[in-house]
Amino acid sequence: MVSFSIQNVLIAVRDDYATVDVQVVDGAIAAMSTTGYAYAPNLQVIGTAIDGKNKLLLPGFFNAHTHSSEMWQRGIMSVFPLELWLAELYDFTPLDPEQVYLSALGTAVETLLSGGTSVVDHLVLIPGLELETIAIATRAYREVGIRAFIAPLIQDESLSAGIPSGESAQTHEPYFRSTVATLEIIEEAVRQFHRPDEGVSILVAPTGIQLCTDALFAGCIELSDRYNLCRHSHLLETRAQEKIAQQKYGCTAVEHLERIGFLSDRTTLAHCVWLNDADIAILAKTQSTVVHNPLSNLRLGSGIAPILKYRQAGVNVTFGCDGASSNDSQDLLEAIKIGSILHNVTDSDYQHWITPRHAVEMASLGGAKGLNLADNLGSLTVGKQADLVLYDLTNLSLLPRTDPIGLLVLGRPSNVVDSAWVNGKQIVADGKVTTINVDDLRQELFNRSQWETKRKSQTVAQIEAHYRTVMGL
């Protein structure tokens, strides 16, 4: 494996910065020394020497929740709440395998160029081609070289079950695939594609309590325990889901998930907007991780997740972009900025607010903790794997020279990623992804799409009428 040394580079230390040399050997951080100090004045250059002058080195961030295939609908979806937005999304022409491939490539590239070296893809599966869908996404992420956590999105109830029934009894069409068949697909995916040492991991990922039975959750827990897999799910993204939990369980969704054993220190939960104080205490006790998706929560009117309460309670929090048609971007730095300053209006005590350094730690070490990888990733620590990002501090959007991390998080950084490595392999150099031809990707995305507008279908109109009634609108 290639070894290299980054010389004279800026890193964050406590409340300050230091200029250091960093050695990377066999994919891991082998040594770090402060340049010019007696401690290690002449750290040996190993392998390729990289000039880190006027650059900031940070651990790679995690895009800890997204849906790559939504790229094909970004910018076109109506201004709807989640339940109606989903109905409209389902109304589009189903994906084909080539679209899955191109959108995974695009998600990886956008994540990398905004500071992310890992992505958790809650991957939408093509019916009847489920394993092929996973194989295609795996191939795309391997080609780019990003660290991928593929979480095949599964459910065993039909879409209408995701809207509260209200006072009238509702009947739902059976889901087209049985619970048992779904779990068999996930187990086969684990056998074929779960290769953590090669940068691809499979997660068990029921979409959420609103569209999943307890039998599906139980099967996912069993697979997770048997194969040592992490778990991922949406949780209480909307007020409607809060109502559904009470209808189904007679208690909160968090209480129910704790009872059935889904919550754990390797469970990540996207959104978590509508939780009460008792729910938050449960997440802290079970060491579950919240993935904050501020942009989609705002875009869909879902609400503002109580992130400051989570942090004060000791709950681990990290960031995600969410899907590219509920965001409509995969700009991780944008999600981190909004996800930080949004909460300055939810708590008047500014001592609880998220500082830029807090945000960087949440995006890096917070993501690693949620995937049970804090011993291996998430910080600039000797012995950890070299998932690293080098930022160009001479870029206009990171000037004038004030606080580099403050500028990165609170500013509007553009084209600031100079280099990125995953497991010691360089996949971004001089601001460009080197592993694939991005110009070809751009042309393919352009050729396979067309300018259009979306018109409301009769099915969406019917669902909208029921939704407005049960939500009291």
Side-chain angles (χ1 to χ4, degrees):
M1 185 172 289
V2 176
S3 299
F4 60 93
S5 301
I6 306 174
Q7 298 179 292
N8 200 28
V9 70
L10 202 66
I11 66 167
V13 291
R14 294 191 179 92
D15 297 324
D16 202 353
Y17 294 93
T19 302
V20 304
D21 293 342
V22 179
Q23 289 178 347
V24 173
V25 178
D26 293 337
I29 300 172
M32 297 175 63
S33 85
T34 305
T35 301
Y37 283 73
Y39 167 66
N42 297 302
L43 190 62
Q44 179 184 0
V45 173
I46 296 179
T48 304
I50 295 171
D51 185 6
K53 186 177 181 181
N54 296 323
K55 294 182 176 67
L56 173 69
L57 185 67
L58 291 177
F61 298 149
F62 286 73
N63 185 355
H65 175 71
T66 191
H67 308 280
S68 62
S69 60
E70 285 180 17
M71 177 174 286
W72 296 96
Q73 287 81 35
R74 67 178 179 183
I76 195 174
M77 298 295 291
S78 298
V79 181
F80 270 157
L82 174 72
E83 286 74 21
L84 303 183
W85 176 92
L86 274 173
E88 185 174 274
L89 186 68
Y90 275 55
D91 208 35
F92 275 89
T93 303
L95 294 168
D96 64 46
E98 183 67 11
Q99 287 177 305
V100 171
Y101 172 69
L102 293 172
S103 54
L105 290 178
T107 296
V109 168
E110 287 191 86
T111 296
L112 281 166
L113 295 181
S114 57
T117 53
S118 294
V119 60
V120 177
D121 188 355
H122 208 175
L123 182 66
V124 177
L125 304 177
I126 300 173
L129 298 174
E130 292 87 355
L131 288 171
E132 183 178 349
T133 306
I134 299 167
I136 290 167
T138 298
R139 176 166 66 92
Y141 289 132
R142 281 182 176 276
E143 287 179 10
V144 176
I146 198 168
R147 195 178 296 275
F149 300 85
I150 297 177
L153 188 151
I154 53 174
Q155 64 191 72
D156 59 353
E157 294 189 304
S158 60
L159 184 63
S160 60
I163 298 178
S165 60
E167 297 181 0
S168 60
Q170 298 287 315
T171 57
H172 308 293
E173 291 291 327
Y175 195 60
F176 75 93
R177 188 177 57 230
S178 72
T179 304
V180 170
T182 297
L183 292 169
E184 288 174 348
I185 289 169
I186 301 305
E187 184 168 13
E188 185 58 31
V190 174
R191 293 194 187 105
Q192 291 189 31
F193 309 114
H194 185 61
R195 303 289 185 273
D197 292 343
E198 299 173 16
V200 176
S201 300
I202 300 295
L203 280 58
V204 293
T207 187
I209 60 100
Q210 69 279 8
L211 294 175
C212 298
T213 65
D214 280 357
L216 186 60
F217 273 105
C220 286
I221 293 166
E222 193 277 328
L223 288 173
S224 170
D225 290 344
R226 179 147 48 100
Y227 292 103
N228 192 29
L229 307 174
C230 288
R231 308 167 185 179
H232 187 66
S233 186
H234 299 98
L235 178 63
L236 295 178
E237 184 173 354
T238 66
R239 189 180 288 277
Q241 292 173 10
E242 181 187 38
K243 290 176 177 287
I244 288 171
Q246 289 293 335
Q247 287 178 3
K248 289 179 75 170
Y249 313 126
C251 64
T252 72
V254 176
E255 289 172 329
H256 186 73
L257 291 178
E258 183 191 25
R259 287 174 189 168
I260 65 175
F262 188 75
L263 304 180
S264 76
D265 62 355
R266 50 199 170 103
T267 300
T268 52
L269 303 161
H271 303 290
C272 296
V273 177
W274 295 97
L275 276 65
N276 61 34
D277 289 347
D279 294 334
I280 294 171
I282 291 171
L283 293 190
K285 180 179 69 175
T286 58
Q287 300 180 61
S288 302
T289 289
V290 170
V291 182
H292 188 24
N293 301 273
L295 288 157
S296 63
N297 291 345
L298 292 171
R299 162 83 153 87
L300 302 174
S302 301
I304 298 176
I307 296 303
L308 300 186
K309 282 188 174 184
Y310 293 136
R311 286 172 50 80
Q312 291 169 61
V315 177
N316 183 48
V317 181
T318 190
F319 296 101
C321 289
D322 206 357
S325 64
S326 63
N327 178 325
D328 296 45
S329 148
Q330 293 296 291
D331 187 332
L332 192 50
L333 285 169
E334 181 184 44
I336 292 167
K337 174 179 179 174
I338 299 299
S340 302
I341 65 175
L342 176 65
H343 304 284
N344 296 0
V345 300
T346 66
D347 188 334
S348 60
D349 189 345
Y350 56 87
Q351 292 185 337
H352 297 154
W353 294 356
I354 298 169
T355 69
R357 290 190 179 227
H358 291 153
V360 164
E361 184 176 28
M362 291 163 66
S364 51
L365 188 59
K369 285 180 178 177
L371 294 161
N372 208 25
L373 289 170
D375 290 340
N376 302 313
L377 294 169
S379 64
L380 300 181
T381 303
V382 171
K384 287 195 176 185
Q385 291 171 277
D387 286 19
L388 308 172
V389 177
L390 201 59
Y391 296 90
D392 178 9
L393 297 180
T394 68
N395 182 282
L396 184 60
S397 61
L398 295 181
L399 291 172
R401 290 189 291 172
T402 56
D403 179 353
I405 290 178
L407 286 163
L408 189 69
V409 173
L410 297 177
R412 182 61 179 90
S414 176
N415 303 318
V416 293
V417 171
D418 176 87
S419 303
W421 296 264
V422 173
N423 200 29
K425 178 184 177 182
Q426 188 164 16
I427 54 179
V428 177
D430 298 322
K432 301 183 185 301
V433 175
T434 60
T435 47
I436 65 167
N437 189 318
V438 177
D439 287 337
D440 286 350
L441 170 62
R442 186 184 301 116
Q443 191 64 51
E444 284 294 324
L445 288 169
F446 183 86
N447 290 343
R448 288 183 59 87
S449 56
Q450 60 183 0
W451 310 120
E452 59 179 313
T453 56
K454 180 66 176 174
R455 291 176 174 80
K456 190 184 300 180
S457 70
Q458 184 176 356
T459 300
V460 173
Q462 291 172 344
I463 293 173
E464 182 179 8
H466 173 67
Y467 175 88
R468 292 186 63 82
T469 298
V470 299
M471 297 304 292
L473 300 175

